[in-house]
Structure formats: structure tokens, C-alpha cells
Amino acid sequence: MKHGLLFYLLIGLVCLLPTIAQADHIIGGDITLQQTGTSGDYRLAVHLFVDRTHPSSTQPDPFLACHIYRTRDNVRMNTINTFLGDIKNLYESDNICASQVKLQLAMWTYDRAVNLPAAAYNDPGGYYIIFQRCCRNASVTNVLNPNRTGLAFRLDFKIQTAVNSSPEFVLPEARYVCINDPFTMDFSAKDADGDKLRYELVDPLKGYTTDQAPVDYLGNSHATYPAIQWVAGTSALNPIPGLQPLKVDANAGRLTLTAQQAGLYVFAVMVTETRNGVDIGQVRREYQLPVVDCKKNTTTPPAITFNGKSTTAVERCDDSPVTIATANATGFTYQWQLNGADIAGATSTTLAVKEEGVYTVKKLFPYNCGTGATSEKVRVLPPAPPLAEILTNRTQLAFDGDEILLISASQPDTYRIRWSFNGAASGSNSTSLVAAQEGSYKLRVSTSDDRCASEDTIQITRFVKLVMPNAFSPNGDGLNDTWEIRNLNSLTDAEVFVFNRSGALIYYADKNGQPWDGTYENQKVLPGMYRYLIRAPGRQPMQGALQVIY
């Protein structure tokens, strides 16, 4: 009576629901049953893989009806409606890989908390859950009439006195298969209870839904569920023909394949969980792999820039990070490498580097659907601080209008050069400067961002011939009464010193001072020999002997 009442309630619900058309956007899926406690509480989930390029994908079913049967006699035990929750997009919209095989894959999860008490589900033969829906996406390559072929997902389980959850497949990688290239993919499952898992390829199930009756609300009992009809040359154990047909590792759940023909191929993997040598459950996952000719998808190599300019070498003045970059091309992904090895997590268009070595960046098609390209090598050199050095063959201007060429020692192209004259910027940033005036010239070298500065200074003088007597007679007769140095006022900041025999300073004058009259502290000095010293910036000091005669 209880089951009969449930049947009429379902009939009433079906009559109230709007008509649901066949859906050609479903490309695969599976069912999981995860225990949430020890009193028969579980979470039942249906994972649907859908193709978002189809209009049907914009109108999800309001719920999915899952039917539970007893394995021994196929008696329906219960019907549980699951509701849409999580949505994960596995491929980005309008990706550049879709030019050959259009597929915008997403995973929809319908789930619901359920109670399956051990007292009601204690049959030693176990139970199974079925979800059915029609139809498949029309672009499938290896199924006859896919858009008129339904799907049936099945989960087999046994209620154990101990904790037990079904195996749960990992989220599949969003990848294309390249023709003639070896392909591997993790298609394993996790088991919360640590049960041993075994994998095998099986037939995807067609079930009993049709394009005329696409939804199985009532859950009529069936002893078996028919498989799909394979295109000639394909089968459950050979769903994707190739140099190495699709296989699954029985222990690890890893797929291997070397395909030969483009298309969209459906396959199914069944994972069996075993505890103490006894099989206690099975989960089937149905999925599709797009196969494309990746050689048709090519791109130009990316370029690496430093400070906005292409380069083959990056100079550094210290251990601070420097940033290298590549231009962003819409739709592509990037992977930086150091000395030929991928750098973990370095997938943006910029990279901050501290370690010296050879860097490259790979420009990759998303989802492995094309032949990528690698940049030219860029060497990041060891830290080398700037070293400013002015090179010239002379420092003295020989005549009016004379010029001296000042040259900076060789510097990396990325370094910044600035000249100044007598403390004022010259406005020149080139590697050389013409000096036409006497004075102080400074060269400053730094990185392009003005770090690690180094300076060098040089004094340019003008040739001046000093003429002076080596004796004079300050006796007041009007002849040679003073000691005068001609051209002294032509020397910038010149100074004159006269010392007596004991080394005491008895006369001092700058370039504009009065000639020496032979006195010290207003007294005539004694006749004899005295020593003089003439100094001017940028010139060698001049010294000699001077005789005072009366």
C-alpha cells in the first residue's frame, strides 16, 4: 500500500510539471552516495556533464528523479528527487580550441540528503540507483544516433554495519586530445573509507528513455539496462581508436591514449570498491574526450621584455627582484621556465626574478589543444653594481676653442647615464660628453629605475703659462721692487705662498692679490733664499726658490 501511494503521488507530480523536452546538452555523468553519519544518513548526488554551447543548457531540469532498486529482484525501493546546486565550468566560454570540436564543458551537481536505514536496506545482494535522461549531444563521433540515444547512470551499493560511502571520481581535467600525441589523464576516484578500488572500461548505458519520452519519473523496474549502439570499429574496450586505443589502468585509474582521428568520443569507466576481498559497490562515470589536430592550431613565439623593451640579457645591480614580462594574447595560457624547467605557479604574463639563469616563457593553447611556442632565451645575469668611470686622453684645454672628449666606460644598455658640470645637470644622457670649459665634470651611472648609483668626477683645466722672476730687490729704487707672477689671474682659485728658511709662511695671496713687496708684518725681510708654492685646482702645484737681494 505504501509503494502504491507513492506511485500515485509521482503520477500526480508528473501531471503538474511542465513538459520537459529532450536535452541534447548532456554528455556524461555519474552518481555518488556519501555517508554523512552512522544512522543511515547519506547525501545522494548526480553529477551531469553538460555542453554549454547547446541552447538546452540554459534551461536545467528542475530536479532529477533517482530510483533505488533491490538487486536481487529489481524491486523499486524508493524514488528520490535531487535538486540543482553547484555548477562548475570546466572550459572557458568561446575558447580558441573550439574551432575544430565545439565543446564548452560544465559539471552540474544535483543532490539531496537521504536516509537509508540499515533495517530497510539489509538485503545481502545489495541495491542500485538509476538515473535516466534523453538525449545525448549530436556531435558524438562513436555513437549511432546520439541525439536520439538516452543516458542511464548506475550506482551499486550495499549497506554495511560499518561506515560506507561510494567511491567518488575526481573532477576531470579540461583537456583536448592531440592526434598522434600520447595522452594521459587522471580518471581515478577517492574512497572515504579506504576501500580498495579497481577500474575498467565498460559500455555507456542507453537505458529506456527516448526522444519522445526523455525523462524517467516513474522508475519502472527493469532487469537490465541496454547499452549504447557503437559506431563500427568502436566498442566499450576500444571507444577511441588509435595507435594506442583508450585504456584505463586497473589500479590507478589513469587513462592512456594515442588517437588518430578528430572527433568527440564517449566512454565509460566503472570503479569497483572491495573490502576484505568482497565487492561492496560500483560507480560508473560516463565522459567524453575531444580529439583535435593540434598541428592546425599554431601560434607565434612570445617575446620577453624588461622595462618595456625586448632583451636577451637582464643586468642587475643587487639582489632586489626584477620583473620580466610578455605580452598577453587573449585565449592563451603561459608557463615560465628557468633553465628549461617549468617554474611552479609561474603562469601569469609577468615574473619577478631574483635567481640568475636562463629564462623562457611558453605560450600555450588552453586545454592542450594546439602546438604552443617558446620565447627566445633571456639570461638574468648575476648582480653587478654600476661602476662609473670617465675615460679621456687629457684633462687640460690647450687653447681657446679647444675641446676634450669625455667618454663613459662601457655600461649595460639598461643602465642610466647622466652628466653634470660644476654641479649643474648638463642635459646629456649619452655615453660621451664634449668638455669645452674648465671646471668639474661628473658622470653618474645607475639602473634605469635610478638604483645603485655610482659617480666619477674629473677636473678640466686650461693651460696657463706662469711667468715669474727668481729674484727681486725690494730696496725702493723703482727697479724690481716687487715679486709679481704674470697670468696668475687666469687660474681659477689660484693661491700663492712664500715661506722663510724655517718654514714659516710670510706671504699669501690669491689670484687677485697684490704682488709681494718683500715685507713681513710691515718689516723688510732679510736678504737670502725663500721658497714659494703656487696651487690651483686641477693643476700640479708649482714650487721653487726665490732670492731677495738688496
Side-chain angles (χ1 to χ4, degrees), residues 26-272:
I26 303 175
I27 70 170
D30 59 61
I31 302 173
T32 60
L33 189 65
Q34 299 297 307
Q35 192 162 21
T36 59
T38 57
S39 59
D41 291 333
Y42 295 84
R43 179 155 293 275
L44 175 64
V46 180
H47 305 111
L48 290 186
F49 296 108
V50 301
D51 185 357
R52 291 178 289 130
T53 64
H54 290 269
S56 303
S57 67
T58 62
Q59 298 176 332
D61 292 345
F63 64 88
L64 304 182
C66 297
H67 308 290
I68 305 178
Y69 303 89
R70 187 168 54 209
T71 304
R72 173 170 50 85
D73 53 11
N74 302 304
V75 169
R76 183 169 56 83
M77 303 292 295
N78 200 354
T79 293
I80 300 169
N81 296 323
T82 58
F83 299 90
L84 182 61
D86 187 39
I87 295 178
K88 284 187 174 68
N89 291 331
L90 304 186
Y91 290 83
E92 295 297 327
S93 299
D94 301 323
N95 75 79
I96 59 178
C97 302
S99 58
Q100 295 186 52
V101 177
K102 284 196 171 183
L103 182 64
Q104 302 297 334
L105 187 62
M107 186 175 78
W108 295 352
T109 298
Y110 288 76
D111 61 357
R112 183 175 178 179
V114 297
N115 182 260
L116 305 176
Y121 289 86
N122 57 5
D123 191 280
Y127 301 83
Y128 62 92
I129 303 174
I130 291 288
F131 163 73
Q132 298 186 81
R133 185 71 164 88
C134 192
C135 299
R136 299 171 181 270
N137 48 331
S139 54
V140 178
T141 303
N142 55 348
V143 177
L144 290 174
N145 301 317
N147 59 330
R148 302 179 67 181
T149 300
L151 305 93
F153 305 147
R154 176 166 176 159
L155 164 72
D156 291 78
F157 69 97
K158 293 180 180 179
I159 297 294
Q160 306 291 304
T161 54
V163 174
N164 185 41
S165 295
S166 69
E168 190 167 25
F169 281 98
V170 299
L171 187 69
E173 300 173 77
R175 295 174 58 195
Y176 283 71
V177 179
C178 294
I179 291 175
N180 296 326
D181 285 350
F183 173 86
T184 63
M185 181 176 177
D186 183 9
F187 213 75
S188 64
K190 308 297 181 185
D191 188 81
D193 314 315
D195 295 322
K196 185 177 180 180
L197 302 181
R198 181 178 72 253
Y199 303 87
E200 58 186 308
L201 289 172
V202 295
D203 284 306
L205 299 179
K206 173 184 177 181
Y208 292 94
T209 55
T210 67
D211 54 339
Q212 300 300 313
V215 181
D216 174 28
Y217 286 125
L218 301 180
N220 294 324
S221 176
H222 301 282
T224 59
Y225 289 83
I228 60 169
Q229 290 184 281
W230 293 97
V231 168
T234 61
S235 64
L237 299 181
N238 185 31
I240 310 178
L243 295 173
Q244 178 185 332
L246 181 69
K247 296 185 182 300
V248 62
D249 185 285
N251 299 312
R254 178 162 289 277
L255 300 177
T256 55
L257 167 68
T258 304
Q260 286 182 296
Q261 185 174 351
L264 186 59
Y265 296 88
V266 66
F267 65 96
V269 171
M270 183 170 71
V271 56
T272 301

Side-chain angles (χ1 to χ4, degrees), residues 7-20 63 217-218:
F7 176 81
Y8 288 112
L9 286 173
L10 285 171
I11 290 293
L13 179 61
V14 170
C15 294
L16 291 174
L17 285 172
T19 301
I20 297 179
F63 64 88
Y217 286 125
L218 301 180

Side-chain angles (χ1 to χ4, degrees), residues 418-461:
R418 285 172 290 180
W419 295 89
S420 61
F421 172 62
N422 289 339
S426 70
S428 174
N429 295 321
S430 69
T431 57
S432 63
L433 182 71
V434 173
Q437 303 177 65
E438 60 178 328
S440 177
Y441 290 82
K442 180 185 290 184
L443 169 67
R444 188 177 192 273
V445 181
S446 66
T447 60
S448 59
D449 52 0
D450 210 26
R451 291 183 298 112
C452 306
S454 174
E455 296 179 346
D456 188 23
T457 301
I458 193 170
Q459 195 75 26
I460 298 297
T461 63

Side-chain angles (χ1 to χ4, degrees), residues 304-307 311 313-326 336-339 341 343 346 348-361 378-383 451:
I304 296 178
T305 59
F306 176 61
N307 289 334
T311 185
V314 175
E315 306 278 356
R316 296 181 295 158
C317 66
D318 57 23
D319 286 326
S320 300
V322 295
T323 299
I324 55 179
T326 189
W336 291 92
Q337 296 179 307
L338 172 58
N339 299 328
I343 303 173
S348 71
T349 54
T350 60
L351 181 68
V353 299
K354 290 185 65 175
E355 187 176 351
E356 63 182 274
V358 176
Y359 288 82
T360 51
V361 62
V378 171
R379 180 175 294 277
V380 175
L381 300 177
R451 291 183 298 112

Side-chain angles (χ1 to χ4, degrees), residues 298-304 324-329 331-351 358-366 368 370-378:
T298 59
T299 185
T300 56
I304 296 178
I324 55 179
T326 189
N328 183 35
F332 288 90
T333 61
Y334 295 88
Q335 175 61 60
W336 291 92
Q337 296 179 307
L338 172 58
N339 299 328
D342 290 352
I343 303 173
T347 57
S348 71
T349 54
T350 60
L351 181 68
V358 176
Y359 288 82
T360 51
V361 62
K362 295 187 293 185
K363 180 181 177 184
L364 304 171
F365 283 84
N368 193 46
T371 303
T374 302
S375 69
E376 294 291 333
K377 297 177 180 179
V378 171

